[in-house]
Amino acid sequence: MTRVLFGVTLFLILTGCNMLPQRHMQEVGAKIPDQWAEGEAPIQSVPTQWLETFGDPQLSHLVESALANNYELKAAAARVDAAIAQARIDGSGRWPQFFFTADHEQIQIREAGFGSSRFGVFEALFGLSWELDVWGRIRDFQQAAVQEADASKADYYGARLSLAARVAQSYFELAEAKLQAAVVEQSIKDRTIIVNLVRGRFQRGLERGLDLRLALTDLANAEAQLKQARNRIQTITRQLEILLGRYPAGNEMSVSALLQLPAGIAAGLPSELLERRPDVVAAFDRLQAADFRTASSKKLRLPRITLTASGGTRSSELAELIDPKAAAWNVFAGLMQPLFTGGRIQGEIFRSQARAEEMLNFYKNTALNAFREVEQALAAEEWLRQEEASLKKAVEQTESSRRLAVYSYRNNLIDILTLLDSYRSTLNAQSAHLSVSRQLLSNRINLYLALGGNV
C-alpha cells in the first residue's frame, strides 16, 4: 500500500509541476509586417512628450491640471494600490502564520461548610501554522496577483494617456466651436446688410414682398445657427471642466485659435507597438497571470506539508506567564494528499485553463485592434490633409462668388435666391473647413494615443 501511495504521489508531482507556457508578445495570431501599410518606412522612433509638439502653453497647463485633479484617474490609481495589496495578501501564505492570545479568568469555588473562594487565572496562548510551499503552488498564486498588479499599473498609465488625449481633443473642439460661432456672427452681420438692402428696394417698389420674406427667413436661420453654436460652446466647456476635476460651471475659458498641425511623425515599427501600448501590455500581463493561476491550480493535486505548533502558559500568578519553565509546547508536522474531492480540484483546473484561453484570445484581439488604430489614424491623416486643402479652395471660391453675387444683385442680374444661396455656400464652406482642420488635430492625437506615446 505504501508503494502504491508513493507511486501515485510521484506521478502527481511529475504531471503537476509542468513549466509555464512560453509566451511571446509577438504571438498575436497574425503575421506582423515589417512596416505600416500606411505611411512611409520609419526613420526614427516614436516621439516622446507629444504634448510639447503643439507648442501651446495653455494646452499643456490644462493637461497637467487634469492629470493632477481628475477623479477617474485617481480611481485608477487606487485600483493599482488595491492590486498591489492583493498581491501581498495572496503571497502571505508562503510565510508562517503566528497568533497570540492573552486572557484572564475569574474562578469562584464553593465548598460546603467553608464558604466560597475566588481566584484569577492568567492565560497566554500562541498558535503557529505554516504550509511549506514545496511545489511552488502558493508562489504561483502570488505571482498571478503580481502580474495582475502590473496589469493595473499599465491600465493606470493608459488612463493617463487617454485623459491627456481627451483634454487635448476637448480643447481643440472648444476652439473650433468658438470659431464656428464667430463665423456665424459675421454671416449674420452680412445677411443683415442684405436684409436692409432688400427692404430698401421693397420700400421703393423694386422688390416683391416674397423676396423680403426670404431674406428675413435666411437671417433667422443664421441666428438659430448662432444659438446652436453657443450651446455647443457651453457643452464642451462643461465637459472639459469635468476632465479638469472642476465644478461644471461653464466658465469662460481662454482658448486660442486652432493650432497648426505639427510636422509628420515617425510611427516606428509595428512590432514595437506591442511593448508601448498600455492596453496591450495589460492584456499580456493578465494572460501571464492566468497561466500562473493554472499552474497553481494543477498543484492542488500534490501533497501539502504543513507545520503547526501551539502552546502557552496558565497560572494564577501573572509573573509566571513569562517563565519558560511553565510553558507547554506542541509541535506537529503533517502531510495531506488529496485523493477524492468530488471533482473540485479538476473543476478548478479546467476553469483556470479556460480563463487562460480567454485571456490569450483577448490579448490577440487587443493587439490587432492596436494595429488597426495606428493604420487607421495614419490613413485618416492623409485623407484629411487632402480634404482640408480642397475645402480651403472651396472657401476662397465661395467668398469670391458671394462678392460677385452681391454686385450682380445690385445690378438686377440675379434674383434673391441666388444671392442667399451664395451666402449659405460661403458659411457652409467656412464651417466645413474649420471642422476638418479640427479633425486633423484630433486625428493626430488619436495617432499619438494609438502609438502609446508619452505626454
Side-chain angles (χ1 to χ4, degrees):
M1 182 64 182
T2 304
R3 292 182 179 180
V4 173
L5 182 59
F6 175 78
V8 172
T9 302
L10 180 61
F11 172 77
L12 291 174
I13 291 174
L14 294 175
T15 58
C17 293
N18 293 332
M19 295 180 64
L20 291 168
Q22 296 299 313
R23 303 290 190 187
H24 301 284
M25 297 192 77
Q26 306 294 329
E27 298 175 3
V28 298
K31 186 180 184 302
I32 302 176
D34 295 331
Q35 66 182 59
W36 300 102
E38 302 293 338
E40 300 177 353
I43 301 176
Q44 56 189 18
S45 60
V46 178
T48 58
Q49 308 297 328
W50 54 260
L51 191 62
E52 298 178 357
T53 63
F54 291 98
D56 188 340
Q58 174 71 3
L59 174 59
S60 298
H61 172 73
L62 290 176
V63 171
E64 290 173 2
S65 178
L67 294 177
N69 302 307
N70 182 267
Y71 293 107
E72 283 185 286
L73 191 60
K74 291 182 178 181
R79 286 193 292 270
V80 174
D81 293 338
I84 294 174
Q86 186 63 51
R88 187 177 297 115
I89 293 170
D90 290 347
S92 62
R94 299 179 62 186
W95 307 100
Q97 308 295 304
F98 187 83
F99 307 93
F100 174 79
T101 59
D103 194 15
H104 176 259
E105 181 182 5
Q106 286 287 337
I107 300 176
Q108 183 174 352
I109 300 177
R110 295 181 179 274
E111 298 182 15
F114 294 96
S116 62
S117 61
R118 177 181 297 180
F119 62 92
V121 176
F122 296 94
E123 190 176 54
L125 303 174
F126 76 89
L128 180 145
S129 64
W130 185 16
E131 178 181 344
L132 302 182
D133 194 25
V134 178
W135 322 118
R137 180 185 63 83
I138 302 176
R139 182 186 66 245
D140 288 344
F141 191 71
Q142 179 192 25
Q143 189 59 38
V146 170
Q147 292 293 144
E148 289 174 348
D150 289 341
S152 295
K153 293 177 184 177
D155 287 339
Y156 172 74
Y157 181 68
R160 280 177 55 89
L161 296 181
S162 177
L163 176 61
R166 283 187 291 164
V167 170
Q169 289 176 335
S170 296
Y171 180 80
F172 297 146
E173 289 176 3
L174 182 58
E176 182 210 342
K178 290 189 173 185
L179 290 174
Q180 294 279 15
V183 166
V184 177
E185 286 176 352
Q186 183 59 47
S187 181
I188 289 175
K189 293 178 181 179
D190 295 338
R191 295 183 191 201
T192 301
I193 295 174
I194 294 300
V195 167
N196 293 332
L197 174 63
V198 176
R199 181 181 286 115
R201 291 170 63 89
F202 171 73
Q203 291 173 349
R204 295 195 302 271
L206 301 176
E207 290 289 354
R208 300 172 300 170
L210 176 60
D211 292 344
L212 179 58
R213 295 296 180 185
L214 290 173
L216 290 171
T217 300
D218 191 64
L219 176 61
N221 287 332
E223 291 172 343
Q225 284 182 271
L226 179 59
K227 301 300 187 295
Q228 185 180 22
R230 288 175 175 170
N231 182 52
R232 178 167 170 74
I233 291 174
Q234 68 87 20
T235 300
I236 298 173
T237 299
R238 287 183 166 85
Q239 291 174 346
L240 186 53
E241 286 174 323
I242 290 295
L243 294 177
L244 298 174
R246 303 175 185 173
Y247 183 84
N251 295 325
E252 177 71 18
M253 288 191 181
S254 58
V255 178
S256 60
L258 283 174
L259 303 175
Q260 291 293 324
L261 185 70
I265 65 171
L269 296 173
S271 58
E272 296 173 348
L273 181 69
L274 300 175
E275 299 178 358
R276 285 197 310 265
R277 282 274 298 233
D279 56 340
V280 176
V281 173
F284 190 75
D285 284 334
R286 290 190 169 93
L287 170 59
Q288 292 184 307
D291 287 338
F292 276 109
R293 292 198 185 280
T294 299
S296 179
S297 63
K298 287 181 179 180
K299 293 173 184 177
L300 289 171
R301 298 177 297 186
L302 303 177
R304 298 188 188 182
I305 301 175
T306 58
L307 295 177
T308 58
S310 62
T313 61
R314 182 181 176 90
S315 174
S316 59
E317 298 295 334
L318 183 61
E320 293 183 7
L321 288 180
I322 60 176
D323 186 0
K325 297 179 180 179
W329 302 80
N330 178 29
V331 179
F332 174 76
L335 182 146
M336 183 184 71
Q337 170 64 61
L339 296 178
F340 179 75
T341 60
R344 179 183 62 82
I345 293 179
Q346 194 61 38
E348 182 68 27
I349 294 173
F350 286 158
R351 183 178 68 172
S352 57
Q353 288 175 333
R355 177 66 173 171
E357 183 67 19
E358 176 192 0
M359 290 296 99
L360 174 60
N361 288 286
F362 178 77
Y363 167 71
K364 291 180 178 180
N365 188 67
T366 302
L368 291 179
N369 268 313
F371 292 134
R372 175 191 59 81
E373 289 175 0
V374 175
E375 295 281 15
Q376 187 171 295
L378 288 171
E381 179 158 319
E382 180 61 27
W383 290 112
L384 287 170
R385 282 180 183 275
Q386 296 179 18
E387 185 179 0
E388 189 273 336
S390 298
L391 286 172
K392 185 176 181 180
K393 293 179 181 178
V395 170
E396 295 172 355
Q397 294 297 326
T398 55
E399 289 180 345
S400 297
S401 64
R402 178 177 57 84
R403 290 191 294 268
L404 182 59
V406 172
Y407 173 81
S408 299
Y409 180 76
R410 290 180 182 272
N411 290 276
N412 296 319
L413 299 175
I414 60 173
D415 58 17
I416 187 63
L417 291 176
T418 304
L419 176 62
L420 296 179
D421 185 64
S422 69
Y423 273 87
R424 284 192 294 269
S425 297
T426 300
L427 178 59
N428 291 338
Q430 291 173 332
S431 178
H433 182 254
L434 286 173
S435 178
V436 171
S437 298
R438 192 269 307 162
Q439 288 178 46
L440 264 171
L441 292 169
S442 295
N443 184 74
R444 176 58 65 85
I445 295 295
N446 289 335
L447 179 56
Y448 286 133
L449 191 62
L451 291 172
N454 197 4
V455 293

